[in-house]
Amino acid sequence: SGAGMLVIMSIELREVDLRPLIKVLHHQPAWSDLPILMITPLQQQRSPELGLAIQQLGNLVFIEVHSPLTTVCSLISSALRSRRRQYEYRDCCGALAETRKLVKNISQSIDLKEQLLLSERKNDEDLRHAQKMEAVGQLTAGIAHDFNNMLTGIIGSLELVRRRLARGKTDDLNNLIDMGITSANRAAGLTHRLLAFSRRQSLDSKPVVMNEWLVSAHDL
């Protein structure tokens, strides 16, 4: 868990049972392809043991024992960059799954309320509420896109903060944090307005300033 890469000395292959490792690699999550660096003498790279390992270990790169240090560092850096992208992809998939779950829950809530309204529609108030729920249903398709944009802002801000901290730069973190908070507040505001819009409430007729009302509804 949290591994960046795996290093194997080929001279150990004859003495180590690789089956537990192969089992773990074959049961990786869909987003994962753990990089493996095998350090081996040049003359051993075509041995039967290595041939079997190549077939079963998967994402494998060879490093010759006497390779220059710069070559070794370059291969390690490349493997770690690849692994980091895999983790970033996992995080994005998790955020997208949460968004889809939220939209699904909203849709299920809308469907349930529509069924209740169909059975209880006895007066004009019920009819108006049913029309309101229908409008929410039409908006649901756009909600996932809006939430995804907001999540992108949050994830992007956190990623930039992490990179700045990794380089020891802390002079501009407040702006990045503010960007993430702004996106999070937008998402919370949209959720609050959506729940208020879909909740069954009695009508409260009163005079309003039409222009202000339209501006306030713009985000929704």
Side-chain angles (χ1 to χ4, degrees):
S1 176
M5 57 183 289
L6 178 65
V7 180
I8 298 179
M9 299 288 293
S10 64
I11 59 175
E12 303 291 340
L13 291 180
R14 295 181 180 179
E15 302 178 8
V16 176
D17 183 5
L18 289 178
R19 287 177 295 179
L21 172 60
I22 293 171
K23 182 178 179 181
V24 170
L25 294 175
H26 285 181
H27 288 82
Q28 294 182 84
W31 57 267
S32 177
D33 189 14
L34 180 65
I36 302 173
L37 303 183
M38 181 170 288
I39 302 176
T40 176
L42 183 62
Q43 65 273 15
Q44 193 183 1
Q45 290 187 9
R46 297 186 179 180
S47 65
E49 293 87 352
L50 288 187
L52 180 61
I54 292 172
Q55 296 175 13
Q56 299 185 77
L57 293 181
N59 189 6
L60 189 64
V61 176
F62 289 102
I63 299 180
E64 206 274 324
V65 171
H66 301 293
S67 296
L69 181 59
T70 54
T71 301
V72 175
C73 291
S74 176
L75 290 172
I76 291 175
S77 296
S78 177
L80 291 178
R81 283 196 302 270
S82 172
R83 186 60 169 169
R84 188 176 294 111
R85 284 193 295 268
Q86 293 176 26
Y87 282 123
E88 290 172 352
Y89 176 75
R90 176 201 63 182
D91 295 341
C92 289
C93 288
L96 181 59
E98 288 299 319
T99 301
R100 289 174 175 169
K101 182 179 179 181
L102 175 62
V103 173
K104 181 179 179 181
N105 290 340
I106 293 173
S107 299
Q108 290 176 345
S109 176
I110 291 172
D111 292 341
L112 178 59
K113 289 188 177 182
E114 285 181 341
Q115 293 174 10
L116 292 174
L117 288 172
L118 288 174
S119 63
E120 297 175 358
R121 188 175 300 168
K122 298 177 181 179
N123 50 46
D124 291 342
E125 182 181 349
D126 288 337
L127 178 59
R128 285 191 295 269
H129 186 65
Q131 293 170 340
K132 177 178 170 182
M133 297 306 300
E134 181 180 0
V136 174
Q138 294 173 355
L139 288 173
T140 302
I143 293 172
H145 180 71
D146 289 338
F147 269 107
N148 192 46
N149 287 338
M150 297 169 189
L151 288 172
T152 299
I154 297 170
I155 294 171
S157 299
L158 292 176
E159 177 63 20
L160 289 174
V161 169
R162 184 178 68 178
R163 293 182 181 181
R164 296 283 177 85
L165 291 176
R167 296 197 300 265
K169 295 183 178 181
T170 60
D171 53 315
D172 195 32
L173 294 185
N174 285 337
N175 289 338
L176 297 176
I177 293 172
D178 289 341
M179 289 170 56
I181 292 175
T182 298
S183 295
N185 287 335
R186 286 180 57 204
L190 179 57
T191 302
H192 176 75
R193 288 193 296 273
L194 181 64
L195 292 175
F197 190 62
S198 62
R199 191 179 299 119
R200 185 173 184 176
Q201 297 174 335
S202 59
L203 296 177
D204 181 18
S205 300
K206 61 183 179 181
V208 298
V209 179
M210 199 65 181
N211 189 57
E212 294 180 0
W213 184 85
L214 289 172
V215 171
S216 69
H218 178 267
D219 289 341
L220 181 59

